[in-house]
């Protein structure tokens, strides 16, 4: 609950709204997916008059409606863009989650051990016994092993595959933001 009377029912992850939840505000209601305390994915916002906005959300913005509008403009109306319609759709899977892929050859990268090593080695990310002198951890980086541990406790199992054999699934929109939204949506499906 917040001082203005707003409330959230759902999951929190490191003190932020995460996953599906319902946000009750003074004059409206939002039911949908959150990531790091922001709307991020499918959701429905309902207003006092009963009207609703349904679609994909990014923060406070509705970025894609979940309905087709009859007689609307379509890319298929323009032959010069035919190449975009004929290529095979991309596929993604959660095993490709944002991980750092570096070729660990320090002789080719003279600055490798000056800063990049901190991102790869959990022991160097945080000072030893940091919990003894810091009670506010919101500004500190989260180690990859800590995030994996939290995820394993929240999801209880490995992230389930989309189909029985674990094949990646097709995506319709390959823009970076939409790929992230689709991965996050799938993670909490």
């Amino acid at each position: 609950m917040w001082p203005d009377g707003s409330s959230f029912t759902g999951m929190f992850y490191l003190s932020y709204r995460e996953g599906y939840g319902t946000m009750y505000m003074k004059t409206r209601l939002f039911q949908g997916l959150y990531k790091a305390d922001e709307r991020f994915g499918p959701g429905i916002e309902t207003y006092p008059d009963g009207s609703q906005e349904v679609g994909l959300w990014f923060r406070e913005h509705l970025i894609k409606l979940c309905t087709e509008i009859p007689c609307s403009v379509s890319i298929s109306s323009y032959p010069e863009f035919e190449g975009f319609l004929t290529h095979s759709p991309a596929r993604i899977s959660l095993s490709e989650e944002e991980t750092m892929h570096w070729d660990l050859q320090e002789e080719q990268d003279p600055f490798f051990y000056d800063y990049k090593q901190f991102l790869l080695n959990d022991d160097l990310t945080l000072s030893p016994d940091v919990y003894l002198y810091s009670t506010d951890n919101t500004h500190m980086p989260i180690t990859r092993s800590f995030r994996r541990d939290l995820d394993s406790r929240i999801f209880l199992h490995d992230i389930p595959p989309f189909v029985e054999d674990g094949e990646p699934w097709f995506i319709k929109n390959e823009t970076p933001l939409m790929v992230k939204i689709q991965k996050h949506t799938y993670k909490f499906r």
Side-chain angles (χ1 to χ4, degrees), residues 6-65:
S6 301
S7 66
F8 178 75
T9 303
M11 188 175 87
F12 284 84
Y13 185 87
L14 297 173
S15 300
Y16 294 112
R17 292 173 287 183
E18 186 87 12
Y20 284 99
T22 303
M23 183 72 187
Y24 300 92
M25 297 161 277
K26 288 182 181 179
T27 58
R28 55 203 162 123
L29 166 76
F30 180 78
Q31 298 169 295
L33 192 60
Y34 285 86
K35 179 178 184 176
D37 224 25
E38 300 280 355
R39 297 174 185 181
F40 195 77
I44 303 170
E45 184 155 17
T46 306
Y47 297 95
D49 65 357
S51 63
Q52 294 181 322
E53 292 182 330
V54 180
L56 295 179
W57 294 81
F58 178 64
R59 299 183 179 142
E60 295 297 317
H61 305 284
L62 179 62
I63 59 172
K64 183 177 179 183
L65 296 173

Side-chain angles (χ1 to χ4, degrees), residues 61-143:
H61 305 284
L62 179 62
I63 59 172
K64 183 177 179 183
L65 296 173
C66 288
T67 60
E68 291 187 22
I69 301 170
C71 301
S72 63
V73 177
S74 170
I75 195 168
S76 59
S77 304
Y78 297 91
E80 61 268 23
F81 296 116
E82 189 175 299
F84 291 106
L85 298 174
T86 58
H87 85 289
S88 61
R91 297 172 154 240
I92 57 174
S93 71
L94 291 175
S95 62
E96 302 165 1
E97 205 60 35
E98 294 84 26
T99 57
M100 294 167 274
H101 300 287
W102 283 317
D103 191 13
L104 302 178
Q105 298 176 2
E106 57 184 299
E107 65 276 355
Q108 292 179 0
D109 186 355
F111 301 107
F112 179 77
Y113 282 97
D114 287 345
Y115 66 94
K116 291 180 184 175
Q117 185 179 12
F118 291 110
L119 300 174
L120 294 172
N121 188 341
D122 285 354
D123 295 333
L124 300 174
T125 303
L126 298 174
S127 304
D129 299 326
V130 69
Y131 60 89
L132 295 176
Y133 57 85
S134 178
T135 57
D136 178 19
N137 65 354
T138 57
H139 65 284
M140 296 180 155
I142 298 173
T143 62

